[in-house]
Amino acid sequence: MKKKKLAIVSLMSDGGCHVAFLDMHENILQLLQNVELVHSYMVLDVRRIPDSVDIVLVEGGVRTSHDVEVLKEARRKAKILVALGSCACFGGIPGLSNLFDLYSSLKYVYEKTPTVIKGVIPRENVPEVVGVSPIFRYVKVDFQIPGCPPESKEIMEIILSLAKGEKPTLPTKTVCDECPLGPPRKKPSKLRRIFEPPKPSTCLLEQGYFCMGPVTRAGCGAKCPRAGIPCDGCRGPASKILDQGAAMLNTLATIAYNTIKNFNLRTYSAYFYRYSFASSLIEDLIRKTKVKKK
Amino acid sequence: MRVQIKPVTRIEGHMAITIDVEENRVKNLQINILEPPRLFEKFMENKPAEEAVRLAERICGICYVAHGLASVKAVEDAWDVKPPEAAIKLRKLLHAGGYIHSHTLHLALLALPDMLCPGEGVIGIAEKYPQLFKKAIVIRKYGQEITEIVGGRPIHPSTIVPGGMSKPLPREDRETLMKKGEVVLKNAMELVDTIFDIYEKNKLLSTYPEDLTYYMGLVSHGLHETYDGELHIMSPKGDVIASFKGLDYLKYIAEDSVRYSFVKHPYLRVNGEKYRVGTLARTNVAEKFGTPIADNYLAMLRKMVGKPFHNVGAYNLARAVEIIASIEKALNILEDEEILSKNIRTHVKPKAGIGVGIVEAPRGVLIHHYEIDDKGLLRKVNLIVATQQNIPPLERELIRVASDLLSKGEKLTTIEQRLEMVVRAYDPCISCATHLVKLRIVS
């Protein structure tokens, strides 16, 4: 049987999903017996996406007009298009910048930081900058592999399953279900920040840390809580959860209200919407209000 | 005529090179960083400072460890926190893991195809040089295992917290890493020998430009340093013209934004000169590594190129030596009983303040500068990242190389290939630098 063709396309990203792909280590050789890697700017010399590719993994979300062009080209050339990682799936951490005015942000970064002497916002021979978006806002996405970055083993299994023409699935449980400390049996009485060390062997959420375990998709083996750090929700909303941040607010209810009333959305987005702000209901609402005002 | 190399491949991020050619001369050359600006410096504002570590790690999917460490050092500087010695040792082990993974990824998977199978990328190495490929896998995997064991995850580690580390190192994990480390060191020496051999046999250094620039890098008591120490600025002649720490970076580093690139161009504030960072700069500013095998290789390297050395191709050789040094350093730390200590976190109290965290990322000097308010939230963020500092000298070198090749009447494909080799020697990480690059040649 002819090997299926695989491409990895990168938009706005830190390249971590590419590294997670390479983290298959020696298993890459096994993968390459089943699929042919035809495009990856990081490890191959092929500058353009070849014309017909069976599986295209898209790493990163949309930030520029150039990202939009590449994404649409990827869709045209792909039989199956997969969002790889939480930036492509939900907007990821850069999505947090949608809470700031784009022009002021560019102005600060390129003109106002303490080391800048001659400042100017770049506009020549560079693409136009737009708000951060997950890729589903621009093209049809056939499958999502969430995570920041996704688990290497999961990437491999999903590619192999797609190459065989099967329909892969994601874990439906939550990070709490995989966590030796969880799930929480009671609600915390006060919220804590991670510079205070937690008690060992006790659920982090019960102790009051913003642990996103109850609303986040399983599959990582609860690596962070096992290392004494609350889950920050990098694998996005668990199955059947529409909005990761809203679901977490709901879980914490009044305690959350008492703590966050002193904070603004820019602060608590770092807890509740770290990876999913650009695909949240609240962002949708803000955007619609802005369009109405215009 | 306009020539564009877009994107430059086998680098980490999106960059293009645009060259305007008139009568076989380079009229203008631009490195266009197409990597989308993610504007971390702005959107980190208002975030709890202790969460900055995990946010900042996402600046780079390759040198996340370095960003995490620079970030936590900045917060600890602002809050006057001193983590326990055992935590610092764990962080240094983690840092060594990051170097082993990042340098091996670049040298064996991104740069080696230029030397052995041009045009075929990593697949060429895997198919035609399976033994070499397997060695590279073993070495890089070890780096990622260190990060996973000490950092909780192989990519974007989660255990770095203001005040120390969140997870002690279990004894059995330490034994595993020690045992594997010896085998990995042997593999790494074989890989490094191969790279030195290829360089000598093919006289590769002569194909790269010499560029007499200033250099900047961390040094601690004359030794090569990546976590502590002072930043030294070295002149092209090899004199140390300044050494500084912390907030004083503002006196020495300035940057200009340019219209045609998302990357800001830094230079020395004291004299307006371009400077370089990374493996070459670090091995220039340090007397030696302080570990025996790496110091042997360093002596070999200096025999080939002198000190300070300016050849761009020597970046790869210095990188090779740093792989050895990182494994030796990791093994030294692992031998120290103190890293098994449970006392790895100290009490932390947030307060208003300014903090600067400086580390050496695999690609060079990395600076995080935070202003924090009385609630412990970030108010202002400024970042100087490794790759951006190399872009201005790189631009100048590419103009020279392109002009030289054009005047010799070389084919466009040869020029493209050679320019890309020069770019790759720096191991540019574009996502970091825009926080970065594609090479474009348009006709």
Side-chain angles (χ1 to χ4, degrees):
Chain A
M1 205 178 67
K2 238 180 104 192
K3 283 187 198 173
K4 293 276 199 265
K5 289 184 176 156
L6 172 73
I8 311 176
V9 172
S10 291
L11 311 177
M12 166 210 70
S13 74
D14 69 358
C17 296
H18 241 101
V19 175
F21 176 85
L22 296 173
D23 270 6
M24 288 175 211
H25 302 299
E26 63 277 11
N27 290 331
I28 283 212
L29 295 171
Q30 191 204 324
L31 182 86
L32 291 177
Q33 283 169 7
N34 292 278
V35 297
E36 182 191 354
L37 183 63
V38 295
H39 176 78
S40 143
Y41 80 92
M42 201 189 277
V43 293
L44 297 181
D45 291 21
V46 186
R47 293 192 213 283
R48 295 285 303 260
I49 310 168
D51 273 340
S52 173
V53 185
D54 298 291
I55 306 162
V56 175
L57 309 177
V58 178
E59 164 192 56
V62 171
R63 167 51 113 188
T64 65
S65 53
H66 181 254
D67 288 336
V68 177
E69 282 165 36
V70 175
L71 177 58
K72 290 196 169 155
E73 183 185 338
R75 181 65 272 187
R76 270 200 314 278
K77 293 176 170 176
K79 286 194 189 126
I80 302 168
L81 185 132
V82 180
L84 179 67
S86 289
C87 291
C89 295
F90 320 115
I93 283 184
L96 293 172
S97 87
N98 288 1
L99 275 166
F100 294 79
D101 173 67
L102 187 54
Y103 179 72
S104 327
S105 298
L106 288 164
K107 189 121 184 122
Y108 174 70
V109 170
Y110 290 103
E111 295 184 2
K112 304 275 184 212
T113 62
T115 28
V116 169
I117 307 285
K118 278 189 235 154
V120 62
I121 297 176
R123 296 189 201 279
E124 260 172 43
N125 290 344
V126 291
E128 186 200 349
V129 181
V130 297
V132 172
S133 287
I135 62 172
F136 70 77
R137 294 216 198 269
Y138 289 90
V139 297
K140 177 175 166 276
V141 176
D142 301 307
F143 195 77
Q144 292 195 326
I145 312 180
C148 187
E151 296 293 312
S152 301
K153 195 166 159 265
E154 199 172 24
I155 300 176
M156 177 157 171
E157 286 166 0
I158 288 168
I159 294 172
L160 289 175
S161 146
L162 288 170
K164 278 189 229 148
E166 297 165 2
K167 218 178 157 218
T169 53
L170 291 173
T172 51
K173 293 188 166 172
T174 69
V175 171
C176 283
D177 295 321
E178 295 183 320
C179 181
L181 311 175
R185 283 146 300 180
K186 56 175 202 256
K187 288 198 171 146
S189 52
K190 106 178 222 234
L191 288 177
R192 291 173 205 276
R193 290 165 60 180
I194 56 162
F195 54 74
E196 290 181 69
K199 279 183 276 179
S201 319
T202 314
C203 168
L204 294 166
L205 187 60
E206 268 179 42
Q207 296 182 60
Y209 297 94
F210 284 91
C211 185
M212 295 286 283
V215 297
T216 300
R217 189 182 296 277
C220 56
K223 285 199 179 80
C224 296
R226 278 178 205 269
I229 287 289
C231 166
D232 64 354
C234 86
R235 291 179 55 85
S239 301
K240 289 179 192 157
I241 288 178
L242 186 61
D243 183 296
Q244 198 180 7
M248 190 63 194
L249 274 163
N250 214 16
T251 303
L252 289 170
T254 48
I255 313 149
Y257 175 75
N258 287 335
T259 306
I260 66 178
K261 66 182 178 195
N262 301 320
F263 288 164
N264 65 27
L265 184 56
R266 284 181 182 163
T267 302
Y268 70 77
S269 60
Y271 292 114
F272 296 95
Y273 288 108
R274 187 170 293 188
Y275 300 87
S276 66
F277 185 74
S279 55
S280 65
L281 295 172
I282 190 161
E283 205 244 11
D284 232 18
L285 196 71
I286 296 171
R287 200 190 334 206
K288 279 176 191 151
T289 323
K290 270 193 196 154
V291 173
K292 250 188 209 164
K293 269 190 195 158
K294 277 184 187 165
Chain B
M1 179 179 72
R2 170 168 279 197
V3 188
Q4 219 177 20
I5 308 175
K6 178 187 178 183
V8 178
T9 57
R10 278 185 285 125
I11 59 170
E12 292 114 352
H14 296 93
M15 144 179 169
I17 298 174
T18 308
I19 312 170
D20 289 322
V21 180
E22 227 177 61
E23 292 167 4
N24 267 352
R25 287 215 180 129
V26 178
K27 195 175 151 219
N28 188 28
L29 182 145
Q30 294 180 341
I31 293 178
N32 307 115
I33 305 291
L34 306 176
E35 187 82 11
R38 288 168 298 161
L39 309 171
F40 270 84
E41 286 163 313
K42 187 68 185 177
F43 77 72
M44 283 172 73
E45 281 177 17
N46 306 100
K47 307 296 181 283
E50 72 280 8
E51 299 291 339
V53 176
R54 286 201 281 180
L55 296 174
E57 282 177 352
R58 268 68 181 189
I59 292 170
C60 184
I62 296 119
C63 62
Y64 31 81
V65 172
H67 278 283
L69 295 176
S71 174
V72 82
K73 281 181 71 180
V75 176
E76 288 171 349
D77 185 34
W79 289 351
D80 289 329
V81 176
K82 230 180 142 279
E85 211 33 54
I88 302 276
K89 286 178 181 161
L90 284 174
R91 286 181 186 176
K92 288 183 176 173
L93 178 58
L94 189 61
H95 207 18
Y99 266 71
I100 297 166
H101 130 73
S102 174
H103 277 2
T104 312
L105 167 67
H106 174 263
L107 202 57
L109 305 182
L110 312 190
L112 203 54
D114 285 328
M115 306 174 203
L116 293 175
C117 48
E120 295 176 42
V122 72
I123 304 287
I125 300 286
E127 285 174 355
K128 294 186 178 158
Y129 302 90
Q131 290 311 318
L132 215 51
F133 182 75
K134 276 179 197 154
K135 272 182 200 133
I137 295 276
V138 168
I139 304 164
R140 201 180 80 81
K141 189 176 179 182
Y142 183 62
Q144 293 296 70
E145 280 173 350
I146 292 179
T147 309
E148 178 154 22
I149 286 172
V150 181
R153 324 165 79 209
I155 300 173
H156 302 320
S158 53
T159 56
I160 308 166
V161 286
M165 298 289 282
S166 73
K167 176 181 156 291
L169 179 67
R171 186 174 286 275
E172 60 274 19
D173 285 345
R174 175 220 198 182
E175 309 302 322
T176 312
L177 287 179
M178 282 176 89
K179 229 182 265 157
K180 282 191 183 166
E182 296 299 335
V183 181
V184 169
L185 183 57
K186 203 174 143 271
N187 276 285
M189 287 168 67
E190 288 165 6
L191 175 73
V192 173
D193 288 340
T194 309
I195 305 257
F196 270 80
D197 282 350
I198 296 171
Y199 257 74
E200 274 188 293
K201 226 181 266 156
N202 303 312
K203 302 200 166 46
L204 272 184
L205 284 173
S206 66
T207 62
Y208 287 96
E210 296 265 333
D211 192 3
L212 275 70
T213 61
Y214 284 79
Y215 298 98
M216 193 187 290
L218 280 179
V219 183
S220 177
H221 308 291
L223 295 183
H224 178 274
E225 176 61 59
T226 55
Y227 183 83
D228 287 317
E230 286 190 325
L231 276 177
H232 282 201
I233 302 175
M234 179 177 267
S235 75
K237 283 188 186 147
D239 303 321
V240 177
I241 61 158
S243 61
F244 58 95
K245 281 178 116 157
L247 199 56
D248 277 350
Y249 90 95
L250 287 172
K251 289 187 206 155
Y252 294 95
I253 302 174
E255 43 182 3
D256 285 343
S257 304
V258 289
R259 291 179 187 283
Y260 58 86
S261 170
F262 286 133
V263 168
K264 290 181 271 189
H265 288 190
Y267 53 92
L268 296 175
R269 192 183 280 253
V270 281
N271 58 14
E273 292 282 343
K274 299 176 177 38
Y275 65 98
R276 294 190 286 177
V277 298
T279 60
L280 186 135
R282 281 194 291 265
T283 29
N284 273 335
V285 296
E287 285 309 313
K288 52 183 189 167
F289 284 95
T291 54
I293 306 174
D295 276 335
N296 273 341
Y297 280 106
L298 181 64
M300 208 161 98
L301 176 61
R302 285 187 178 154
K303 225 185 201 166
M304 290 165 72
V305 291
K307 179 184 187 303
F309 48 104
H310 308 288
N311 188 298
V312 174
Y315 261 99
N316 286 330
L317 296 173
R319 190 167 295 120
V321 183
E322 280 193 350
I323 295 178
I324 304 290
S326 305
I327 301 171
E328 285 184 289
K329 279 186 189 176
L331 285 170
N332 284 347
I333 300 170
L334 284 163
E335 265 168 35
D336 188 338
E337 277 290 316
E338 198 183 355
I339 57 159
L340 297 172
S341 167
K342 300 275 188 289
N343 175 25
I344 48 169
R345 276 183 92 160
T346 190
H347 182 73
V348 172
K349 209 170 159 242
K351 59 170 189 170
I354 289 174
V356 175
I358 302 180
V359 300
E360 284 282 349
R363 287 158 198 77
V365 175
L366 171 64
I367 304 175
H368 282 227
H369 171 189
Y370 301 158
E371 194 181 315
I372 301 174
D373 70 13
D374 53 0
K375 286 185 200 153
L377 305 181
L378 296 173
R379 199 148 59 183
K380 284 266 174 335
V381 174
N382 190 32
L383 307 169
I384 302 285
V385 299
T387 294
Q388 70 173 123
Q389 300 162 90
N390 285 334
I391 297 289
L394 174 58
E395 228 170 41
R396 184 169 68 187
E397 286 152 18
L398 292 179
I399 292 172
R400 261 189 233 148
V401 173
S403 304
D404 182 43
L405 293 173
L406 277 166
S407 70
K408 286 186 186 147
E410 291 285 357
K411 286 192 306 231
L412 218 55
T413 46
T414 314
I415 299 177
E416 267 188 35
Q417 204 188 347
R418 287 281 293 281
L419 292 181
E420 282 194 293
M421 276 182 78
V422 172
V423 171
R424 272 180 215 124
Y426 282 93
D427 187 13
C429 172
I430 310 303
S431 54
C432 260
T434 53
H435 307 230
L436 256 221
V437 198
K438 288 187 198 188
L439 195 58
R440 300 192 291 179
I441 302 198
V442 182
S443 298

